[in-house]
Amino acid sequence: MLTSVFTGCTTTKADSSNKKTVYRTLKEIKKSGKINIGVFSDKSPFGYVDKNGKYAGYDVYFANRIAKDLGVDANFVSVEAANRIEYLQTGKVDIILANFTVTKERAEEVDFALPYMNVALGVVSPSNKVIKKLDQIGAKDEVIVISGTTAETYLTKNYPKIKLQKYDAYAEAKTAFENKNGVAWANDNTEVIAFAKENKGYTVGISSLGDNDTIAPAVTKGNKTLLKWLNDETKALGKESFFHKNYEKTLVDTYGADYEEILVVEGGKVK
């Protein structure tokens, strides 16, 4: 099965707004012998299910190392962009490793550990009608986005007149774009670059939109013991160039060697 129900000891905490969140401390996770990690199951090359039915990708490679160093088994839980925060707050997962971009708004609801990747927004469109500037998008045109992503937030805030066609899952958005339901698809630049390289007839006309951001693991707000362990782990892994090895193992075929130093954040230190 690709998903599983969360079980085990939990700690319940109410924040300043009396909103209850559920999480397992580092000690509870170790005692259970299993860590529940939320990953994508349909977003290659970051998190996907391979032909053998096993989770693979950049985020999964990191997740497996986390479990190994904790001395527990990794239990992967398939998530969608829109439910990543909910899955943490309700205790369905201990960690989210699903291409999760750090934002101020999200940091109010979850705790982000040190980053392991750089990212910006990008826009891909058909090669016969490339969108190079957002003002090329007409009043009746629609741009495809995935609900709960930074692309949706950014366009809604900064370009409210652009009509958005929203989908919950990456696969749904991809299919809609291929079916020409929208004039363009806005998402993380890593994702649109990969899409254009894998699919003929598409061009990334905008490779960097808005501010450059980072991707990081997230834990439930207030889970200090797990957060500290993750930060220490990320720093330690940086000493062995783990994230560069991860890139070369899982991403180089998609992006090539030229993007490695641009995308990889080693040891939690953003250059």
Side-chain angles (χ1 to χ4, degrees), residues 196-216:
K197 285 193 173 186
E198 293 171 359
N199 299 272
K200 293 182 180 180
Y202 297 95
T203 299
V204 178
I206 304 175
S207 60
S208 183
L209 181 66
D211 298 328
N212 289 324
D213 294 308
T214 57
I215 290 172

Side-chain angles (χ1 to χ4, degrees), residues 8-266:
C9 300
T10 61
T11 298
T12 302
K13 178 182 178 182
D15 61 18
S16 57
S17 62
N18 291 320
K19 185 177 182 180
K20 291 184 178 180
T21 56
V22 180
Y23 61 79
R24 299 193 302 168
T25 64
L26 183 66
K27 184 178 180 180
E28 289 169 339
I29 292 168
K30 287 183 175 181
K31 185 177 180 179
S32 75
K34 178 180 70 176
I35 185 164
N36 301 303
I37 303 179
V39 296
F40 287 124
S41 61
D42 63 352
K43 189 183 285 186
S44 176
F46 297 97
Y48 63 98
V49 178
D50 65 19
K51 60 183 179 181
N52 297 315
K54 294 184 178 180
Y55 280 95
Y58 187 75
D59 292 339
V60 175
Y61 191 93
F62 182 23
N64 279 321
R65 180 60 185 267
I66 287 172
K68 179 183 177 182
D69 290 350
L70 267 176
V72 298
D73 293 330
N75 177 52
F76 295 115
V77 179
S78 178
V79 299
E80 295 178 353
N83 65 22
R84 289 173 294 190
I85 292 175
E86 174 197 341
Y87 271 41
L88 280 173
Q89 292 177 336
T90 57
K92 291 180 180 178
V93 297
D94 301 304
I95 301 173
I96 285 289
L97 274 177
N99 220 220
F100 209 11
T101 304
V102 178
T103 68
K104 291 181 179 179
E105 293 78 12
R106 288 172 177 168
E108 293 177 359
E109 298 190 81
V110 302
D111 283 335
F112 284 104
L114 292 172
Y116 60 94
M117 194 170 188
N118 290 309
V119 69
L121 295 179
V123 179
V124 62
S125 48
S127 298
N128 61 359
K129 197 174 182 181
V130 180
I131 300 295
K132 295 184 178 181
K133 295 181 180 179
L134 292 180
D135 59 15
Q136 291 178 244
I137 299 171
K140 295 182 179 180
D141 295 332
E142 292 187 319
V143 174
I144 291 171
V145 296
I146 301 173
S147 298
T149 61
T150 48
E152 179 196 13
T153 303
Y154 177 83
L155 291 175
T156 299
K157 180 179 179 180
N158 297 287
Y159 296 88
K161 292 184 179 180
I162 293 179
K163 294 181 180 179
L164 302 181
Q165 193 172 128
K166 304 177 184 180
Y167 295 89
D168 289 332
Y170 179 88
E172 293 174 349
K174 178 177 179 290
T175 299
F177 183 52
E178 291 173 336
N179 289 338
K180 300 180 181 180
N181 290 5
V183 297
W185 182 10
N187 212 335
D188 288 350
N189 61 354
T190 50
E191 294 161 14
V192 296
I193 290 169
F195 176 86
K197 285 193 173 186
E198 293 171 359
N199 299 272
K200 293 182 180 180
Y202 297 95
T203 299
V204 178
I206 304 175
S207 60
S208 183
L209 181 66
D211 298 328
N212 289 324
D213 294 308
T214 57
I215 290 172
V219 302
T220 310
K221 197 75 175 175
N223 196 348
K224 295 180 180 179
T225 57
L226 183 56
L227 180 65
K228 182 181 184 304
W229 186 91
L230 271 176
N231 285 336
D232 290 343
E233 172 78 348
T234 300
K235 293 175 184 177
L237 291 176
K239 295 177 181 179
E240 60 181 73
S241 297
F242 171 83
F243 294 98
H244 280 83
K245 295 174 184 176
N246 187 354
Y247 182 97
E248 291 159 14
K249 181 76 173 180
T250 63
L251 299 185
V252 72
D253 288 344
T254 301
Y255 301 112
D258 292 342
Y259 278 97
E260 183 169 349
E261 292 305 319
I262 295 172
L263 296 177
V264 172
V265 173
E266 196 68 75

